[in-house]
Amino acid sequence: MSPIRRVVVIGCGLIGTSVACALRRAGVRVELADHDPWALAQAARMGAGTALRAGDGPADVVVIATPPSSVAAVLREAQARGLGTVYTDVASAKTRVLAEAERIGCDLTGYVPGHPMAGREISGPGAARAGLFEGRTWALCPHPALSPRALRTVSALASACGAEVTLLAPDAHDRAAAAVSHVPLVLSAALAARFAARSPDGDPGEVGALPLAAGALRDVTRVAGSPAGMWRDILAHNAGPVADLLEAMSHDLGRVAAALRAADDGPVAEVLARGNEGHARIVRALSRTREPERAAS
Amino acid sequence: MSPIRRVVVIGCGLIGTSVACALRRAGVRVELADHDPWALAQAARMGAGTALRAGDGPADVVVIATPPSSVAAVLREAQARGLGTVYTDVASAKTRVLAEAERIGCDLTGYVPGHPMAGREISGPGAARAGLFEGRTWALCPHPALSPRALRTVSALASACGAEVTLLAPDAHDRAAAAVSHVPLVLSAALAARFAARSPDGDPGEVGALPLAAGALRDVTRVAGSPAGMWRDILAHNAGPVADLLEAMSHDLGRVAAALRAADDGPVAEVLARGNEGHARIVRALSRTREPERAAS
């Protein structure tokens, strides 16, 4: 495969700036773009690269690190301007982004849908780290129109950032992302929401319980601190798989509640035992990669 | 209040042995009992105290650190043997234990229902730590029959272990414990259970998603590793408050799922924004005590 010498990163948030810093550390020339000049300047100050200039010719890869709802439009514009040979993105949901890109006429042969499984609860370029992707999974989603060369190039980019590449189809990715990331976020937020002030329908919630808060509540609600605006966009772009699993979880919780009311130990014992088993599998899966940072991805 | 010179701890698990070690560190004489001679010997080897001997006269406090389902029976037997002047326990649910104690004829004037808000995901005397309760909340639950002197004595015991005493009625405790501990555990277990092997009804679950696992899944499912047998007992003893809140959470998740299917952003945005607010309150509440250990309480 051809080496990656020059990359354009569009979107200087946490992930875009971290990708840029990781590539710079690997010796790649990086140019940056963001509609917010403050974010662009902060990323440049952090050593993520220099501002993109017109007329530089196509980069080896253009990384689109904007929210899911704008990826397709940004891709089309970048392709129209000839910014790169190969394009990728980092959005947490893939099927709908790919369909939007096709619908608005993007060239899909050079577009590699991607999703690095890393993040932090804080956002913006100031939170970026060159090491954010080290030992983490970076999902790439081949599709029928994709050229093998483009896939190899973006795999090399992810490897240069220190990540392990996993290939899976867009719909398989979206179901997996719902299970490991999007649904845990909703569970965490729904629990934390009960400790907010009085709800719109007048339910006083669980604020009075806060003096007894300890480790379990802290752990389960940690990702509920992630930026609400960003997550609205992500959930809207993976609505079907997230709704499927939320409905299943809603059913599971209702079943445990009914069993508790009926003093029927069986279903409660089963969920707890299977929870132990699932926990052990999750710990094993995470131990195969480096112990991740406190993450919201 | 009279100083605490001698304490009997019945039940040499994680909590009982940790209480014993904390009291020993504070200069209190501690005697230990457990139906499992191996656990008793291990606790003694860890410096938690010496084995209880017949004929030593009543201790200042007897701490019953057995599972919720055996507290009342152990209390009655300890009172019949005259082991102490004042009695307390450490079970995570209080109303039903208190009612059982009354039903089987325990003397309630000297029984102070208690619950130190500390724990670890691992259990047994080997996991005990003298510092487990430092800066943590220790709930005590006054009831109409209780003597003020007994309450003062057990408050002094909790303080000697380094904890902050919070007084609340048994039913208020149980609702609060459901919100901060028992329901987070069930949510965590129900999510982790989806990553166990194929379920009894043939659902293949989310095992295939494990390669994408990252920080969010790890955090939300951490307490799902807690001992299933212990939690069956705890949940059965706080069935009503836990079922109430699980039903509310089940409804909340169903509402988010329906909104996602309908592309109705409002309810999703509301849960995420209130999740941010609740998360901030939880962080503030926890920062008022010492940063707790990884805990399952």
Side-chain angles (χ1 to χ4, degrees), chain B residues 143-161:
Chain B
H143 53 82
L146 184 64
S147 96
R149 194 187 66 76
L151 181 59
R152 284 196 301 273
T153 301
V154 176
S155 294
L157 180 144
S159 298
C161 291

Side-chain angles (χ1 to χ4, degrees), chain A residues 4 53 78 90 116 135 146 159 161 176 183 199 204 207 260 276 285 288-289:
Chain A
I4 298 170
R53 292 173 310 176
V90 299
L146 183 64
S159 298
C161 292
V183 164
S199 75
V207 172
L260 285 170
N276 279 180
R288 281 197 290 271
T289 59

Side-chain angles (χ1 to χ4, degrees), chain A residues 168-212:
Chain A
L168 66 181
D171 58 345
H173 167 276
D174 286 359
R175 182 177 156 137
V180 303
S181 172
H182 306 168
V183 164
L185 184 285
V186 174
L187 288 181
S188 185
L191 179 60
R194 299 221 143 246
F195 293 87
R198 188 177 290 270
S199 75
D201 60 5
D203 185 331
E206 310 299 333
V207 172
L210 282 171
L212 297 198

Side-chain angles (χ1 to χ4, degrees), chain B residues 233-257:
Chain B
D233 201 30
I234 292 171
L235 295 174
H237 273 73
N238 200 18
V242 172
D244 288 345
L245 190 46
L246 283 179
E247 282 162 2
M249 296 281 311
S250 171
H251 175 261
D252 291 349
L253 299 184
R255 199 162 146 264
V256 172

Side-chain angles (χ1 to χ4, degrees), chain B residues 195-277:
Chain B
F195 294 85
R198 187 178 290 273
S199 75
D201 60 5
D203 183 333
E206 310 299 334
V207 172
L210 281 172
L212 297 198
L217 186 64
R218 179 202 52 196
D219 286 350
V220 178
T221 59
R222 195 189 315 268
V223 293
S226 305
M230 183 184 84
W231 277 97
R232 282 166 69 172
D233 201 30
I234 292 171
L235 295 174
H237 273 73
N238 200 18
V242 172
D244 288 345
L245 190 46
L246 283 179
E247 282 162 2
M249 296 281 311
S250 171
H251 175 261
D252 291 349
L253 299 184
R255 199 162 146 264
V256 172
L260 286 170
R261 291 210 190 281
D264 174 9
D265 186 51
V268 181
E270 192 224 317
V271 165
L272 294 174
R274 287 170 51 76
N276 278 181
E277 183 196 337

